[in-house]
Amino acid sequence: MSGPRATYPRGVTDLLPRLLAVLVLLVVATAAWWLTERRRGSLRTTRTEREGAVTLETLRAATGRQLAEPGRPVVVQLSSEVCTPCRASARTWTLVGGEDVTLVELDAAEHLDLVRTLGVMRTPTSLVFDHTGTAVGRVSGAPTATQAREIVGGLVGAGRAA
């Protein structure tokens, strides 16, 4: 004969699978956050003009503004009034780019069609153009000073080599 069998309330027996499910969810969420943050502020290359990439000319047509002087690299930042990282990003681009790069800020709320067309999901988003007006890439989020220096160094170096 065996001794009395211990009985546990149903909630206690379900505890282990529930804890494992929560743990798995936390691991997946942490990995997704890490991957997203790892890309923040880094330059991602854009499609070529053949594939319908945005150019300074298409931005000029969409905004009705002359965005840059010919022959200079340009950073076009889509931002909003209430965006604190946008102000920090503009300051970083201005300090790092200095006289070599033109910074143009566009209010995302005033250019919603452009935001939709470009697939902008967060502000600040910066579009980076070389000295010929060709899109080099885009930066989602505020870049660090180091990231901005690398991007500007590539733009200015390419413009002087040409």
Side-chain angles (χ1 to χ4, degrees), residues 101-123:
V101 177
T102 301
L103 173 67
V104 177
E105 285 192 82
L106 297 177
D107 189 347
E110 292 176 10
H111 301 92
L112 290 177
D113 289 338
L114 184 61
V115 168
R116 284 185 202 105
T117 301
L118 297 173
V120 173
M121 300 301 282
R122 69 189 287 187
T123 57

Side-chain angles (χ1 to χ4, degrees), residues 9-153:
R10 179 167 165 74
V12 174
T13 58
D14 290 344
L15 187 60
L16 184 60
R18 289 180 185 185
L19 284 175
L20 286 174
V22 168
L23 181 64
V24 167
L25 180 64
L26 285 172
V27 167
V28 169
T30 302
W33 173 83
W34 181 78
L35 288 171
T36 301
E37 284 300 304
R38 198 180 85 178
R39 291 176 32 166
R40 182 184 60 83
S42 62
L43 182 70
R44 293 184 325 217
T45 57
T46 57
R47 299 175 296 191
T48 62
E49 284 186 48
R50 268 184 306 130
E51 297 168 334
V54 68
T55 64
L56 277 177
E57 185 58 33
T58 57
L59 285 177
R60 187 196 62 71
T63 62
R65 294 173 47 186
Q66 181 62 31
L67 298 175
E69 302 168 22
R72 272 182 85 160
V74 180
V75 174
V76 177
Q77 178 173 293
L78 291 155
S79 55
S80 65
E81 275 185 44
V82 296
C83 172
T84 302
C86 296
R87 291 189 290 272
S89 177
R91 217 174 14 257
T92 301
W93 286 121
T94 302
L95 289 173
V96 170
E99 297 292 320
D100 296 325
V101 177
T102 301
L103 173 67
V104 177
E105 285 192 82
L106 297 177
D107 189 347
E110 292 176 10
H111 301 92
L112 290 177
D113 289 338
L114 184 61
V115 168
R116 284 185 202 105
T117 301
L118 297 173
V120 173
M121 300 301 282
R122 69 189 287 187
T123 57
T125 293
S126 302
L127 306 171
V128 181
F129 298 89
D130 66 10
H131 66 284
T132 64
T134 304
V136 173
R138 72 193 286 168
V139 177
S140 293
T144 63
T146 302
Q147 290 169 323
R149 271 190 216 97
E150 289 175 7
I151 294 166
V152 167

